[in-house]
Amino acid sequence: MKPTDVTAVSADVVAQVLDDPDVFFQHAMEAAPGWAARYGGPEGVMQLTTVLQDELARRTKVNAALRGSAFRFMRNHDARSLEYIAQQLGISRMSVTRAMQRAAGSEEMFPALEDPEAWMGEPPTGTA
């Protein structure tokens, strides 16, 4: 479901929920009388949670690809061991290996990150 498919609330409410889902979740947790009216009632909540689920899945996929790219860079160009990477994150070496395997092909998503200069070069003037 795309944000434009939500019919129970305005595009502004959809954008607010996608921008800061914690406010939406907090309202649901508090469940003050009428809390769902702002979100289009049960139908709107159903639509918003579906759109939010899809957006979070998309972001998770992009995040995993970027993480895998960082792992690959550290292994291939920074000569970091699997043990080092795993220790930095508090995960197992096998988890690092799996993350790198799952992110295989992420160069399509982040082609510029294949260049070590992208990781290690000087940032452009005016950026932090």
Side-chain angles (χ1 to χ4, degrees):
M1 183 172 208
K2 294 179 253 172
T4 55
D5 295 332
V6 175
T7 59
V9 293
S10 69
D12 288 344
V13 172
V14 175
Q16 290 168 4
V17 168
L18 292 175
D19 185 51
D20 190 0
D22 287 336
V23 171
F24 177 56
F25 297 149
Q26 189 62 41
H27 287 157
M29 285 184 242
E30 292 169 358
W35 78 272
R38 169 173 173 37
Y39 301 108
E43 182 177 345
V45 170
M46 176 186 65
Q47 291 176 353
L48 288 167
T49 55
T50 300
V51 167
L52 184 56
Q53 181 79 26
D54 292 347
E55 176 59 18
L56 293 174
R58 185 194 68 77
R59 287 183 183 193
T60 297
K61 181 179 178 179
V62 173
N63 186 66
L66 181 54
R67 182 181 186 203
S69 293
F71 288 174
R72 264 196 325 276
F73 175 82
M74 290 181 71
R75 289 281 294 145
N76 298 335
H77 300 287
D78 221 14
R80 298 295 181 162
S81 68
L82 289 174
E83 292 85 6
Y84 175 85
I85 297 168
Q87 183 181 32
Q88 292 299 306
L89 299 174
I91 61 177
S92 70
R93 287 179 12 198
M94 182 58 75
S95 293
V96 173
T97 300
R98 285 187 193 131
M100 289 171 62
Q101 290 169 343
R102 282 191 304 269
S106 63
E107 52 276 349
E108 292 175 16
M109 198 174 296
F110 298 105
L113 295 184
E114 293 304 305
D115 179 2
E117 188 69 20
W119 292 97
M120 304 305 290
E122 290 296 317
T125 306
T127 63

